[in-house]
């Protein structure tokens, strides 16, 4: 069963779907969550207070609009373009992340979210 979530920040709502991984299930169970954003190139990340280990298949290279979980920082990550670690056209996290889902539609407005903005994750209804 797919798990739809809303990512709400800076006056916008982005709909995403979590996958069936152990990490995604832990996050789903903890919703709703609120935090403050950090930006790193075209990535937004934030501590969600959920602790999960690195899963098999974790990767530092991700795709546009992938959602990840970065175990060292207990952080939810939203990838919407290149980061300072990227080379060429790849999108690269600081270190491997557990892939947990994807944003479902074009989300260019993520570039307008300033560092330190409030962000909320909740189950979509």
């Amino acid at each position: 069963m797919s798990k739809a979530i809303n990512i709400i920040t800076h006056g916008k709502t982005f709909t995403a779907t979590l996958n069936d991984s152990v990490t995604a299930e832990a996050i789903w169970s903890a919703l709703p969550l609120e935090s403050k954003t950090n930006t790193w190139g075209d990535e937004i990340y934030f501590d969600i207070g959920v602790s999960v280990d690195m899963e098999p298949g974790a990767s530092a290279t991700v795709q546009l609009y992938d959602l990840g979980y970065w175990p060292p920082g207990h952080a939810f990550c939203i990838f919407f373009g290149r980061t300072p670690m990227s080379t060429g056209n790849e999108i690269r996290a600081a270190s491997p992340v557990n892939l947990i889902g994807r944003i479902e539609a074009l989300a260019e407005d993520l570039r307008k979210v300033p560092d330190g903005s409030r962000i909320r994750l909740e189950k979509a209804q």
Side-chain angles (χ1 to χ4, degrees), residues 1-118:
M1 182 172 154
S2 69
K3 298 174 187 78
I5 64 168
N6 290 323
I7 302 167
I8 304 161
T9 186
H10 203 57
K12 300 284 183 180
T13 300
F14 305 93
T15 301
T17 302
L18 297 180
N19 61 28
D20 292 327
S21 67
V22 170
T23 303
E25 187 62 40
I27 292 168
W28 177 259
S29 296
L31 294 177
L33 297 166
E34 290 193 32
S35 192
K36 284 189 177 181
T37 62
N38 297 287
T39 56
W40 190 59
D42 285 345
E43 175 190 347
I44 293 171
Y45 68 98
F46 47 96
D47 185 324
I48 58 171
V50 173
S51 182
V52 181
D53 292 332
M54 189 78 61
E55 289 192 46
S59 177
T61 303
V62 299
Q63 301 298 312
L64 185 66
Y65 299 139
D66 273 350
L67 303 177
Y69 172 81
W70 186 50
H74 304 147
F76 190 98
C77 307
I78 306 168
F79 298 97
F80 53 95
R82 298 181 72 235
T83 70
M85 292 292 289
S86 296
T87 57
N89 290 327
E90 74 178 359
I91 301 172
R92 181 170 290 274
S95 61
V97 296
N98 296 341
L99 296 174
I100 57 170
R102 293 185 54 76
I103 291 179
E104 297 175 356
L106 184 65
E108 287 295 315
D109 286 339
L110 288 167
R111 286 189 171 80
K112 298 176 185 174
V113 176
D115 198 56
S117 295
R118 296 296 306 164

